[in-house]
Amino acid sequence: MQARHPERVDLTDRLRQFELLLNSVTDYAIYMLDAEGYVRSWNAGGERIKGYRQEEIEGTHYSAFYLPEDVAQGIPMKNLHIAEREGRFAGEGWRLRKDGSRFRASVVIDPIWDAGELVGFAKVTRDITERYLAEQRLEKARQDLLQSQKMEAVGKLTLGLAHDFNNLLTIIINSLDVIDTRAQNEKVSEMVLTALRASERGILLSRQLLTFGRGQNLVPERVDLNRLIESGKDLYRRCAGSAVSVFFDLAPDLPMIDVDRGQFEASLLNLVSNARDAMPSGGALYLTSFHCVKANPADPEHRQREYVCVAVKDTGVGISAEQQAQVFDPFFTTKPIGRGSGLGLSQVHGFAAQSGGFAELESGLGAGTTVTLHFPLPGAFT
Ligand SMILES: Nc1ncnc2c1ncn2[C@@H]1O[C@H](COP(=O)(O)OP(=O)(O)OP(=O)(O)O)[C@@H](O)[C@H]1O
Ligand SMILES: [Mg+2]
């Protein structure tokens, strides 16, 4: 036969039991407010969560737990009125501990009625900071994933379109070339030239799209830079236009380096088209390659390093000292709308830096411009 607990609890013991119960709940602050919102009772959970001892907090208005901006908007009293009117207030928000630190609180307020008269409120608060922050982190991770999936999809689409675009433009350019050689009329030649210019600008744009589509990730390959330049000679000559004489001076026996072919080509096209625009009535463009030992100006330790360099030099209008500081900024352009996006030199700069090297600009008003790309020899320090 089971032993029975003796019925030994009188009313005062019940109160004691109730107090013990409330104080053994330490994950919840459970306390009573009077009808005006002053704290009238407090439990161990309240002390653990909010930091006040019972004797400190009893008699204090419960708005002490709210942030000053919430108090300024009268939110503590509004919440009590909602509880009174609707029979309960439940909410979540930031609250203050005694030491001034904030915690995320889940709050329930119930009105206490006695013979139809409001005598106070029962309030239960839970510290849900950890759960809240974990949810926020999860949400952020979800958003980041979504964003990167979106970017990947846009990148793939762009990549596909850029390739198609490039192929179509190549057909257009080849056809225009044929028309040009057969044109017997100067007017027609002029129109063909305009169409060629526009198509070449299209090629340049499609290269930028390819770069974007690859997510700016370089795909470096070990290359002989001179061979890379040689293979694009026609493209560069064409891009420079017939008014500009193009000279190549490539140093023999250059060491191999690691670069992304597509981006290298895009960089040279950007530099050559800038040079062309700087020489509206013609001039000379020098494309040179050479080996040098130098320190990257961005290296605080000024360490000397071996580089293979490519310089694009023009005899154009040059760039003022003031503008030299801005030309590498994305979207900086002095060209009319539709002629320049201001992204050319920032692509050049970004590509050189991502390849472990740097781009250098030398210019003066009326003195022409030289942009030199420096690519480090593989294996040396980075
Ligand atoms: N070789 C150069 N000679 C004179 N000015 C130049 C030269 N290269 C660049 N600039 C100046 O720097 C600006 C920025 O060049 P960048 O290549 O970044 O953009 P853009 O040529 O204006 O436009 P986009 O290259 O997108 O068509 C140009 O608008 C021009 O004022
Ligand atoms: Mg440009």
Side-chain angles (χ1 to χ4, degrees):
M1 201 172 121
Q2 277 202 338
R4 280 198 307 136
H5 283 298
E7 286 286 317
R8 60 183 165 85
V9 191
D10 65 14
L11 195 64
T12 39
D13 276 338
R14 275 179 189 270
L15 276 176
R16 175 79 192 121
Q17 271 195 359
F18 188 59
E19 200 182 320
L20 276 172
L21 172 72
L22 281 186
N23 279 322
S24 56
V25 179
T26 53
D27 280 347
Y28 293 79
I30 304 173
Y31 53 99
M32 260 178 71
L33 306 176
D34 66 17
E36 276 77 47
Y38 288 89
V39 179
R40 290 298 169 209
S41 78
W42 195 242
N43 79 333
E47 179 168 343
R48 198 182 74 81
I49 295 174
K50 307 200 194 214
Y52 296 95
R53 275 177 289 111
Q54 180 164 8
E55 57 276 21
E56 274 178 322
I57 199 67
E58 277 181 6
T60 308
H61 197 266
Y62 99 115
S63 56
F65 309 134
Y66 281 77
L67 305 183
E69 53 268 37
D70 291 342
V71 176
Q73 288 182 44
I75 290 181
M77 288 318 284
K78 272 186 203 157
N79 290 351
L80 292 187
H81 291 146
I82 293 173
E84 181 184 351
R85 204 175 51 237
E86 296 174 13
R88 155 169 283 219
F89 168 83
E92 200 185 299
W94 291 102
R95 297 288 188 273
L96 279 181
R97 295 193 186 94
K98 181 186 166 188
D99 63 10
S101 59
R102 292 173 177 213
F103 69 100
R104 189 80 186 169
S106 159
V107 178
V108 178
I109 306 175
D110 285 292
I112 305 170
W113 301 96
D114 186 20
E117 192 189 335
L118 181 74
V119 292
F121 297 91
K123 192 161 179 300
V124 180
T125 303
R126 195 151 54 103
D127 180 349
I128 55 161
T129 313
E130 267 174 42
R131 193 189 79 195
Y132 177 78
L133 293 179
E135 278 170 8
Q136 296 281 305
R137 280 195 294 274
L138 192 67
E139 185 54 29
K140 168 97 176 53
R142 221 181 273 143
Q143 291 293 339
D144 286 353
L145 183 68
L146 208 67
Q147 180 64 13
S148 77
Q149 283 171 342
K150 230 191 290 174
M151 288 308 285
E152 201 185 312
V154 173
K156 270 190 194 145
L157 183 69
T158 312
L159 207 61
L161 287 177
H163 275 298
D164 289 351
F165 197 41
N166 207 50
N167 293 341
L168 294 174
L169 283 166
T170 310
I171 297 171
I172 294 173
I173 289 175
N174 290 339
S175 308
L176 285 170
D177 269 342
V178 175
I179 296 172
D180 195 29
T181 51
R182 296 192 185 166
Q184 283 152 8
N185 172 325
E186 209 168 290
K187 194 91 191 125
V188 173
S189 288
E190 224 173 80
M191 282 158 70
V192 168
L193 194 70
T194 311
L196 271 172
R197 277 273 166 89
S199 313
E200 270 142 23
R201 185 152 173 76
I203 291 261
L204 201 65
L205 283 174
S206 76
R207 297 290 148 100
Q208 316 265 42
L209 289 177
L210 281 174
T211 309
F212 171 79
R214 285 206 216 108
Q216 308 289 344
N217 286 334
L218 298 186
V219 187
E221 284 171 65
R222 185 132 311 173
V223 294
D224 173 349
L225 212 64
N226 284 347
R227 283 184 64 179
L228 211 55
I229 298 170
E230 299 268 5
S231 68
K233 262 184 171 176
D234 281 350
L235 192 61
Y236 306 136
R237 275 192 209 283
R238 192 199 294 283
C239 180
S242 52
V244 173
S245 318
V246 184
F247 302 97
F248 291 89
D249 182 9
L250 309 180
D253 303 325
L254 284 178
M256 304 278 274
I257 50 163
D258 294 331
V259 292
D260 180 306
R261 287 164 175 269
Q263 290 236 29
F264 176 77
E265 209 174 53
S267 288
L268 282 200
L269 278 172
N270 273 319
L271 294 176
V272 172
S273 70
N274 280 352
R276 180 200 60 211
D277 291 346
M279 300 183 284
S281 41
L285 189 150
Y286 303 89
L287 227 156
T288 56
S289 68
F290 54 95
H291 170 262
C292 81
V293 177
K294 245 189 176 178
N296 184 338
D299 177 9
E301 295 171 43
H302 307 293
R303 288 169 296 184
Q304 299 286 312
R305 189 171 181 181
E306 282 185 83
Y307 292 97
V308 169
C309 304
V310 183
V312 179
K313 178 177 184 319
D314 65 57
T315 55
V317 291
I319 306 170
S320 70
E322 195 195 3
Q323 280 187 355
Q324 281 179 36
Q326 294 171 283
V327 290
F328 286 110
D329 292 347
F331 305 111
F332 175 83
T333 181
T334 55
K335 296 172 189 172
I337 294 171
R339 289 295 309 278
S341 66
L343 288 173
L345 284 180
S346 69
Q347 184 270 333
V348 170
H349 178 266
F351 164 60
Q354 266 188 293
S355 308
F358 59 98
E360 223 169 36
L361 176 85
E362 255 187 273
S363 189
L365 268 188
T369 301
T370 308
V371 178
T372 310
L373 302 181
H374 298 69
F375 299 102
L377 258 56
F381 73 86
T382 44

